[in-house]
Amino acid sequence: MRVVIAEDLALLRDGLTRILDAYGFQVVEAVADGPSVLPALTRHRPDVAVLDVRLPPTFTDEGLQAALAARAQLPGLPILVLSQHVEQLYARELLADRGGGVGYLLKDRVSNVGQFIDAVRRVADGGMVMDPEVVAALLARNSGAQRLGELTAREREVLGLMAEGRSNAAIAGRLFVTEKAVSKHINNIFSKLGMPPSDDDNRRVLAVLAYLNG
């Protein structure tokens, strides 16, 4: 699986490269600034891109804008964005572009190698991965919404895990309940949010997060 990395900190860029290499990925290019991202992505057309949100020269949102520009030229390009802090605006911009696998992780998660590698693979496979802290912030921001307020505590917990991109089986294991119970909670969530149920895990996450960002 071919990967392009964009990270301005040399130590982290080298660390990401070494981790990915160790798990069988091929890092075809690793760049350190915003202007280099789009050319690298269009040149290599990787299976997944791992990008820092803030890159030189301005350290604002070069990585994110390059990712969105790349998606325009390479529809469906899977993108995993790394950020130092929870920034809901960036999460919403990523969610607005539903052209393929997408992920938003805090950089602290990289220290958990297994979690990071799992996130890269899930995004490359077309899934969605959202950092739990980002999900919590989105839920908190919308806690006063009428429909969201109708959810039970357990349904909100399930919704948060859905938003992280977890499958029914993974949610069941996390909450120590049966998959049948999880399916019931999910059906209740869709009903209360006014959304039709879907067996497509990625579409349902997109639908839920689109509502939370609405």
Side-chain angles (χ1 to χ4, degrees):
M1 191 176 293
R2 302 164 67 252
V3 185
V4 166
I5 295 172
E7 168 57 53
D8 63 295
L9 296 176
L11 287 177
L12 182 54
R13 187 170 63 250
D14 183 63
L16 291 171
T17 300
R18 290 175 182 270
I19 290 172
L20 290 168
D21 283 345
Y23 280 82
F25 294 86
Q26 179 188 4
V27 178
V28 292
E29 188 166 354
V31 301
D33 58 73
S36 301
V37 176
L38 184 57
L41 293 176
T42 54
R43 179 164 56 250
H44 295 288
R45 296 174 177 264
D47 298 301
V48 61
V50 179
L51 312 175
D52 187 358
V53 167
R54 299 185 175 190
L55 292 168
T58 67
F59 293 99
T60 53
D61 62 350
E62 285 89 350
L64 175 65
Q65 294 307 320
L68 296 176
R71 274 279 182 85
Q73 296 190 33
L74 304 172
L77 173 68
I79 297 169
L80 175 60
V81 167
L82 303 178
S83 179
Q84 192 68 46
H85 307 287
V86 176
E87 301 188 63
Q88 294 180 39
L89 175 61
Y90 297 154
R92 290 198 296 273
E93 287 197 54
L94 280 173
L95 292 172
D97 177 13
R98 304 181 183 183
V102 65
Y104 184 109
L105 286 183
L106 295 183
K107 288 186 176 181
D108 289 347
R109 307 294 175 193
V110 176
S111 61
N112 185 326
V113 174
Q115 185 179 37
F116 170 66
I117 292 298
D118 177 63
V120 175
R121 286 178 173 151
R122 284 162 59 192
V123 171
D125 287 340
M128 171 176 283
V129 177
M130 296 297 288
D131 193 283
E133 290 191 29
V134 175
V135 172
L138 291 171
L139 287 169
R141 184 176 67 86
N142 292 275
S143 60
Q146 182 177 357
R147 286 183 173 179
L148 193 60
E150 295 176 2
L151 301 182
T152 65
R154 176 63 89 182
E155 288 165 355
R156 286 175 62 87
E157 194 172 11
V158 171
L159 176 61
L161 292 170
M162 288 170 59
E164 290 176 27
R166 306 295 178 181
S167 66
N168 284 16
I171 294 173
R174 183 78 166 268
L175 300 180
F176 302 103
V177 298
T178 65
E179 287 189 51
K180 184 177 180 180
V182 171
S183 295
K184 182 178 179 180
H185 286 309
I186 290 173
N187 286 336
N188 288 340
I189 289 168
F190 278 115
S191 177
K192 291 179 180 180
L193 297 184
M195 298 176 182
S198 172
D199 292 330
D200 187 310
D201 188 60
N202 191 45
R203 282 192 306 170
R204 73 182 188 176
V205 172
L206 288 171
V208 171
L209 289 181
Y211 173 80
L212 294 177
N213 284 314

